[in-house]
Amino acid sequence: MFAYIAILVALASLWYFETRTSFVSAGISTSSSVWLSTVCMPIMIGVFLWRYYHQHHGIRKKASHNDPYGLFHLSLNRRSGEDENEPPKTEWLNMGYWKDTKVFPDACQALALKLIQTAQCKEGGKILDVGHGTGESLIMLLTHTSVPRPGYLSGITSIPMHHQRSLERVKSIVAADTKITLHVGDAVYHQDVSAANHPLNPSSAVTFDNILALDCAYHFQSRETFLRQSFHQLDPGGRISLADICFANTPPMTWKARLVRRFLKLMPKENAITISEYANCLERIGYVDVKVEDISEEVFPGFVGFLKPRGLVWWIFGSVLYSYHGAGARFVIASGYRSKESK
C-alpha cells in the first residue's frame, strides 16, 4: 500500500514539475504559488487516492448494507437553494453530459437520455439496466415523458445498499404495465449457486431488447466478458448501449500518459483499450451497426468544472480525473445490435 502511495506521489511530482517548466518556457514567473502547487499537491493527491483505494477496494469487498461507497453522490444532486436538511430530488451517479447545462442533475439526466436514444428503446420492450446506482435511471425509464415505457425492466447493481434503495424508490412508482425485477450482484455472470437468477445467466429464459450500461462498464472485470454475455442475452435485433471510458487512438502515448494509465488504475488493465479497439471488440463478438461516439469534450470539462469549487477533496478528485483525460481517456457512447440472422 505504501509503495502504491509513493508511486502516485512520484507521478504527481513529475506532472507538476513539468507544468512548472511549461510556465517558465512561456515566460511566466515561477512564483511561490507555483512552487507550493508543485510540492504540496502531489502529497494531497496521494493521500486522497489512498483513501479512495481503501474505500473502494478494501472496505467495499465486505459488501455490507452500510457500504461507505453508498450515498456520497446525494450531495452532488442538491440544487442551489434546496434545503440541506431534506434529501435531494434526484440521485444521479454519472459524469453527466454538459453540452447545454451547468447543473449536475440536469447533465446526468442528459447523459442518460443520450444513452437511451442511442439504444433506440421501444414501447413495451424488455430492458436490462446494468449499474443503475440508487435507481435514478430506473425511474427515468419508468416515468420520463420522452422515454418509451418498457414492458419489462430488469436491473442489477453490485452494491447492496444501492439495490435496497432502488427497490424502495421504484416501489413508489405506479407502473402497472411494467414488470420490474432488480438484482444485486456483479455485472458479469459467474457460475455459482448465488448467481442462478443473474440476468446474464446463459440458462435464463429471459432475453432483452436493450441492455444499458450508464457510466460503469469500464469497472467491469472484464468489459469484454460482459459484452459477450450481453450479446447472448439480447433478442435478435436487440441493441446494447454503453456510456463508457476508453482511450484515444492517436497520438502515441507520451511517457506521462503511460505513467498515468499504469499507476492511477481507475479501471482494470484489460479495459484500457482505444476507441478503435473498442469498436473491433464489439464487431468481433458479433455486434453489427457498431458505433463509438467520442463525447469527451461535453463530459470531462463540465464535470471537473462542477467538482472543483466544492472543496479540497473534490478539487483534488477533479484534478486527477482531468489528468486522466489529459493522458488520453475518452468518454464515449458505444452501441451495436445483434443481427436478426445471428444464432
Side-chain angles (χ1 to χ4, degrees):
M1 175 63 71
F2 289 105
Y4 179 80
I5 298 172
I7 291 169
L8 289 171
V9 171
L11 172 62
S13 298
L14 288 170
W15 185 283
Y16 279 88
F17 275 117
E18 183 176 279
T19 302
R20 193 181 72 162
T21 301
S22 298
F23 284 150
V24 173
S25 63
I28 301 173
S29 172
T30 52
S31 64
S32 59
S33 62
V34 175
W35 174 253
L36 286 172
S37 68
T38 304
V39 174
C40 297
M41 286 308 298
I43 298 172
M44 290 189 286
I45 290 172
V47 171
F48 172 79
L49 288 177
W50 175 82
R51 291 178 61 191
Y52 180 89
Y53 181 88
H54 179 64
Q55 288 183 353
H56 290 68
H57 297 276
I59 299 173
R60 184 177 175 181
K61 290 181 180 178
K62 297 179 181 178
S64 64
H65 68 280
N66 59 349
D67 193 319
Y69 183 79
L71 300 177
F72 74 91
H73 61 291
L74 296 189
S75 65
L76 301 180
N77 280 264
R78 185 165 286 112
R79 295 173 182 268
S80 177
E82 286 188 348
D83 188 347
E84 293 189 2
N85 297 315
E86 296 293 328
K89 293 183 173 64
T90 58
E91 298 187 10
W92 287 110
L93 181 54
N94 66 66
M95 294 190 197
Y97 184 69
W98 300 81
K99 185 176 181 179
D100 299 313
T101 185
K102 294 184 179 180
V103 180
F104 178 74
D106 294 344
C108 292
Q109 177 175 275
L111 182 61
L113 282 172
K114 186 171 181 62
L115 182 69
I116 291 168
Q117 289 162 2
T118 302
Q120 301 175 21
C121 297
K122 61 184 181 181
E123 193 75 24
K126 297 174 293 180
I127 297 178
L128 171 60
D129 186 359
V130 182
H132 54 68
T134 53
E136 200 64 39
S137 57
L138 298 171
I139 292 171
M140 168 179 276
L141 287 164
L142 294 169
T143 64
H144 198 282
T145 55
S146 69
V147 176
R149 204 67 62 240
Y152 177 72
L153 177 59
S154 181
I156 185 166
T157 175
S158 63
I159 303 172
M161 174 183 281
H162 286 188
H163 171 69
Q164 188 59 42
R165 193 169 182 89
S166 296
L167 284 172
E168 294 168 358
R169 298 183 74 209
V170 169
K171 275 183 184 177
S172 65
I173 298 172
V174 178
D177 298 329
T178 304
K179 181 181 178 181
I180 303 169
T181 306
L182 302 183
H183 307 269
V184 59
D186 197 284
V188 174
Y189 168 74
H190 303 281
Q191 191 172 3
D192 57 55
V193 175
S194 63
N197 295 321
H198 194 288
L200 297 183
N201 184 340
S203 300
S204 173
V206 179
T207 53
F208 301 97
D209 298 300
N210 296 100
I211 296 178
L212 309 175
L214 176 60
D215 195 359
C216 56
Y218 48 91
H219 293 305
F220 299 169
Q221 292 187 315
S222 68
R223 180 202 284 126
E224 181 169 349
T225 303
F226 169 75
L227 292 172
R228 288 185 181 279
Q229 293 179 353
S230 295
F231 181 81
H232 291 290
Q233 291 308 114
L234 281 172
D235 284 327
R239 182 175 289 270
I240 190 169
S241 296
L242 311 95
D244 205 355
I245 295 177
C246 56
F247 287 88
N249 295 320
T250 55
M253 281 193 293
T254 63
W255 64 268
K256 182 169 65 176
R258 292 181 187 277
L259 285 172
V260 169
R261 291 196 202 184
R262 179 172 176 81
F263 296 117
L264 291 190
K265 294 183 178 178
L266 297 184
M267 65 177 69
K269 181 180 179 181
E270 60 267 31
N271 292 348
I273 59 177
T274 66
I275 292 174
S276 293
E277 289 169 337
Y278 202 140
N280 291 340
C281 175
L282 287 164
E283 290 171 349
R284 187 170 62 250
I285 291 169
Y287 292 98
V288 296
D289 190 28
V290 168
K291 296 182 176 66
V292 183
E293 179 189 1
D294 185 353
I295 59 169
S296 303
E297 296 311 313
E298 284 76 43
V299 176
F300 286 117
F303 186 48
V304 171
F306 165 74
L307 290 177
K308 282 191 171 183
R310 300 183 66 84
L312 179 61
V313 171
W314 286 117
W315 190 95
I316 295 170
F317 179 73
S319 298
V320 171
L321 184 63
Y322 206 72
S323 70
Y324 211 59
H325 175 44
R330 294 293 178 264
F331 203 98
V332 300
I333 300 290
S335 64
Y337 76 89
R338 179 175 178 174
S339 169
K340 293 182 179 180
E341 290 74 36
S342 66
K343 296 180 180 180

